[in-house]
Amino acid sequence: MNNIELITNGSIKEIREAVINRKLYTTELVNFFIQRIKNNKINSFISLYEDDALKRAEELDKKLKNCEKPGKLFGIPYAVKDNIAVKGYEVTCASKMLKNYKATYNATVINKLNDEDAIFLGKTNLDEFAMGSSTETSYFGTTLNPWDNNRVPGGSSGGSAAAIASRESVFALGSDTGGSIRQPAAFCGVTGLKATYGFVSRFGLVAFASSLDQVGPIGRSAEDLELIFSIISGFDEKDTTTKKIENYKVSEPTKRKFNIAYTNDIFGEEISPDIKNNILSILNLLKKEGHSISEVAFNFSKHSVPVYQILSCSEASSNLARYDGIRYGYQTKSYKSLLDLYNRSRGEGFGEEVKRRILFGTYILMAKNNALYTSSFKVSRLIRENLENIFTEYDVFITPTTFSPPFKIGEIIDDPIKMHHSDAFTSICNLSGNPGISIPLGLTDNNLPIGMQIIAKRFDENNLFQFAKYIQSITDYHKCLPEGVK
Amino acid sequence: MGSLEICKTNKNGGVMEINKEDIEKSANIAKIYLTQDEISKYMIDLKNMTEEFLDTLEDLNISLDMNFDFNITSLKYTNLRQDIPDNFNNIETIYKNAPKIKNNLFVVPEILKENKK
């Protein structure tokens, strides 16, 4: 493998080893990605910090010369979704409201990555305040899907997923409230993880729906993601919902036979035939390899989204109340009173989708509608109990990540209900707290990526990664790259 | 546009409605200025979102009521930390993030007018 092949196709472990053995210089590595980000026209990054990244690369080179112990991510460049705080840099949430806002501290996950000698490149595009499934609600314009520039990359972490698919970084961080890591990972043909709620600190992630939000990695393979997860996971006293649990250790490759369940939803009319066929094809392969495969009735894909919308919008209406146009963020130019300043700053600073969700959440939380909010927990509990039942018998549960391959830009932006349904399979994990990973599963006849979601028991990421790595050891789907990137 | 009736009724036979006043009240509570066009559009969107949820309850045969034990969903762990004050050393960035600052204070519109005779 020459250096270009290594940078484009190598794993984190391989690239790190090449850097430590001086076969590849950190500045060469960083320059490669900077040039690629600048030359690509897919709008995956909101900001690029070229000088600071190169300075950091030089510092690491010195560290190596001084024979200091290299970190687990020594010299590995990474991108960060622009709703995660990196001290001194803008964190816009792709909103006019926070256009020039600079973070005053690092998110815990950023400190952990930097402690392992990773190199921060810049901030990636997203749907405004992570509310959306296509990046079309971003104040900074839509990111283009690297597989077909007329299509969306998914969302809300569409910039991070597109950056990995087009090899503008080795890995990226995203956030997932209803599927915002896994759906874009599926749409861009890369691998994305939402961990168990409480496994990764949310400190420094701009809050959308605090009981559902999780930070997670998007990358080239399950192997890379597990390494990142082992670094960013763990208890954080600054996030009281993180669990005091032993540090996660990277799992060993296994030859054991898995007990696999898959949803009967894949036979539903709404599922694209390409997605159904590719999932059935991988299930057949697994059966031939001696694993146990069972179909289970799990009919919550049409119920998860309305419940998710009730809960997430209710929390969002409260979380986004902090943007008052006085202490930070956008302030209207013309106002008559203090109340008028609030109303106009928020009316002008937030985009259409964010206002829709805040209004819906506020409406739900009115006393007269309290039963809507309360009842949503009943459905949420039902979903969780049904998943728990599945994991009493099975190791992993397989669903499609999405109903369809990536849709065209503008195709459903005026139909919020249809757009929300992009999260049908993924929001199940956010409501139940279970971990889910989306792995690439080949291409449609039109050369568009397909994703498959694997769900495991809560806090059983070890099992999840063992299975995902196993599939990627017997298939090459995760190595497929868009035409222009090869 | 007056009100949009949500046809799905709750178990008690009540009919839910979303009207212009609901949107205006929500916008007032949320402190968001809306145009008349936005009010009309959001009234339809909120009606559709609510109706979809009521369909879900009906499909799963779950009653629409306030009877739910929240202890079931609450986390089994809450790791509170000691409340120890810490010096924050990045106050300048906070000032720079503010739209208007005067003498290290956020500037807000006047709310009490001096009684000038």
Side-chain angles (χ1 to χ4, degrees), chain A residues 246-259:
Chain A
E246 268 184 50
N247 286 346
Y248 182 85
K249 290 191 179 73
V250 171
S251 62
E252 294 296 322
T254 181
K255 287 184 179 174
R256 77 184 166 99
K257 300 301 174 195
F258 288 90
N259 204 2

Side-chain angles (χ1 to χ4, degrees), chain A residues 360 362-374, chain B residues 16-18 22 26 50 64 66:
Chain A
F360 186 53
T362 308
Y363 172 75
I364 293 297
L365 294 177
M366 283 182 188
K368 70 170 186 171
N369 297 325
N370 210 343
L372 289 170
Y373 183 70
T374 316
Chain B
M16 294 192 70
E17 282 184 357
I18 294 183
D22 285 322
S26 300
T50 310
L64 180 65
M66 290 165 63

Side-chain angles (χ1 to χ4, degrees), chain A residues 4 45 109 140 168 171 178 215 227 234 240 267 286 327 333 409 428:
Chain A
I4 299 294
F45 277 73
V109 288
F140 301 100
E168 294 173 348
F171 73 94
V215 176
L227 175 62
T240 58
F267 300 110
L286 289 165
R327 292 163 300 151
K333 301 288 174 282
I409 293 169
I428 288 166

Side-chain angles (χ1 to χ4, degrees), chain A residues 371 375 378, chain B residues 10-11 57 60-67:
Chain A
S375 303
K378 292 185 189 176
Chain B
N10 62 33
K11 295 261 163 165
L57 294 185
L60 295 171
N61 199 24
I62 289 176
S63 59
L64 180 65
D65 58 42
M66 290 165 63
N67 181 23

